[in-house]
PDB file of all heavy atoms in Angstrom:
ATOM      1  N   GLN A 124       5.492  16.176 -32.095  1.00 91.00           N
ATOM      2  CA  GLN A 124       5.902  15.698 -30.783  1.00 91.00           C
ATOM      3  C   GLN A 124       6.924  16.599 -30.111  1.00 91.00           C
ATOM      4  O   GLN A 124       7.085  16.558 -28.892  1.00 91.00           O
ATOM      5  CB  GLN A 124       6.497  14.290 -30.891  1.00 91.00           C
ATOM      6  CG  GLN A 124       5.481  13.171 -30.837  1.00 91.00           C
ATOM      7  CD  GLN A 124       6.164  11.855 -30.569  1.00 91.00           C
ATOM      8  OE1 GLN A 124       7.267  11.620 -31.038  1.00 91.00           O
ATOM      9  NE2 GLN A 124       5.523  11.005 -29.804  1.00 91.00           N
ATOM     10  N   ILE A 125       7.633  17.403 -30.891  1.00 93.00           N
ATOM     11  CA  ILE A 125       8.748  18.176 -30.346  1.00 93.00           C
ATOM     12  C   ILE A 125       8.334  19.071 -29.180  1.00 93.00           C
ATOM     13  O   ILE A 125       9.018  19.105 -28.145  1.00 93.00           O
ATOM     14  CB  ILE A 125       9.418  19.004 -31.469  1.00 93.00           C
ATOM     15  CG1 ILE A 125      10.101  18.072 -32.463  1.00 93.00           C
ATOM     16  CG2 ILE A 125      10.436  19.984 -30.881  1.00 93.00           C
ATOM     17  CD1 ILE A 125      10.750  18.777 -33.636  1.00 93.00           C
ATOM     18  N   PRO A 126       7.211  19.826 -29.253  1.00 92.00           N
ATOM     19  CA  PRO A 126       6.834  20.657 -28.095  1.00 92.00           C
ATOM     20  C   PRO A 126       6.628  19.843 -26.814  1.00 92.00           C
ATOM     21  O   PRO A 126       6.977  20.300 -25.718  1.00 92.00           O
ATOM     22  CB  PRO A 126       5.533  21.322 -28.543  1.00 92.00           C
ATOM     23  CG  PRO A 126       5.587  21.302 -30.027  1.00 92.00           C
ATOM     24  CD  PRO A 126       6.296  20.035 -30.376  1.00 92.00           C
ATOM     25  N   PHE A 127       6.106  18.644 -26.949  1.00 92.00           N
ATOM     26  CA  PHE A 127       5.882  17.805 -25.766  1.00 92.00           C
ATOM     27  C   PHE A 127       7.201  17.279 -25.220  1.00 92.00           C
ATOM     28  O   PHE A 127       7.394  17.201 -24.006  1.00 92.00           O
ATOM     29  CB  PHE A 127       4.936  16.653 -26.109  1.00 92.00           C
ATOM     30  CG  PHE A 127       3.548  17.104 -26.453  1.00 92.00           C
ATOM     31  CD1 PHE A 127       3.210  17.425 -27.761  1.00 92.00           C
ATOM     32  CD2 PHE A 127       2.583  17.241 -25.467  1.00 92.00           C
ATOM     33  CE1 PHE A 127       1.939  17.858 -28.081  1.00 92.00           C
ATOM     34  CE2 PHE A 127       1.312  17.664 -25.778  1.00 92.00           C
ATOM     35  CZ  PHE A 127       0.988  17.982 -27.088  1.00 92.00           C
ATOM     36  N   SER A 128       8.117  16.921 -26.113  1.00 92.00           N
ATOM     37  CA  SER A 128       9.432  16.449 -25.661  1.00 92.00           C
ATOM     38  C   SER A 128      10.205  17.562 -24.965  1.00 92.00           C
ATOM     39  O   SER A 128      10.891  17.321 -23.961  1.00 92.00           O
ATOM     40  CB  SER A 128      10.240  15.929 -26.857  1.00 92.00           C
ATOM     41  OG  SER A 128       9.574  14.865 -27.493  1.00 92.00           O
ATOM     42  N   LEU A 129      10.093  18.793 -25.490  1.00 93.00           N
ATOM     43  CA  LEU A 129      10.810  19.910 -24.881  1.00 93.00           C
ATOM     44  C   LEU A 129      10.196  20.355 -23.554  1.00 93.00           C
ATOM     45  O   LEU A 129      10.908  20.768 -22.639  1.00 93.00           O
ATOM     46  CB  LEU A 129      10.835  21.100 -25.856  1.00 93.00           C
ATOM     47  CG  LEU A 129      11.659  20.908 -27.137  1.00 93.00           C
ATOM     48  CD1 LEU A 129      11.497  22.115 -28.055  1.00 93.00           C
ATOM     49  CD2 LEU A 129      13.129  20.702 -26.795  1.00 93.00           C
ATOM     50  N   SER A 130       8.880  20.260 -23.454  1.00 94.00           N
ATOM     51  CA  SER A 130       8.205  20.775 -22.255  1.00 94.00           C
ATOM     52  C   SER A 130       8.059  19.740 -21.143  1.00 94.00           C
ATOM     53  O   SER A 130       7.819  20.104 -19.991  1.00 94.00           O
ATOM     54  CB  SER A 130       6.820  21.310 -22.617  1.00 94.00           C
ATOM     55  OG  SER A 130       6.012  20.282 -23.164  1.00 94.00           O
ATOM     56  N   SER A 131       8.186  18.444 -21.471  1.00 93.00           N
ATOM     57  CA  SER A 131       7.974  17.415 -20.440  1.00 93.00           C
ATOM     58  C   SER A 131       8.946  17.517 -19.264  1.00 93.00           C
ATOM     59  O   SER A 131       8.528  17.296 -18.120  1.00 93.00           O
ATOM     60  CB  SER A 131       8.016  16.021 -21.066  1.00 93.00           C
ATOM     61  OG  SER A 131       9.233  15.804 -21.744  1.00 93.00           O
ATOM     62  N   PRO A 132      10.250  17.850 -19.462  1.00 94.00           N
ATOM     63  CA  PRO A 132      11.110  18.015 -18.278  1.00 94.00           C
ATOM     64  C   PRO A 132      10.645  19.147 -17.362  1.00 94.00           C
ATOM     65  O   PRO A 132      10.712  19.015 -16.135  1.00 94.00           O
ATOM     66  CB  PRO A 132      12.493  18.319 -18.885  1.00 94.00           C
ATOM     67  CG  PRO A 132      12.447  17.731 -20.247  1.00 94.00           C
ATOM     68  CD  PRO A 132      11.036  17.925 -20.707  1.00 94.00           C
TER      69      PRO A 132
END
Side-chain angles (χ1 to χ4, degrees):
Q124 274 196 324
I125 293 178
F127 294 89
S128 300
L129 293 175
S130 61
S131 57

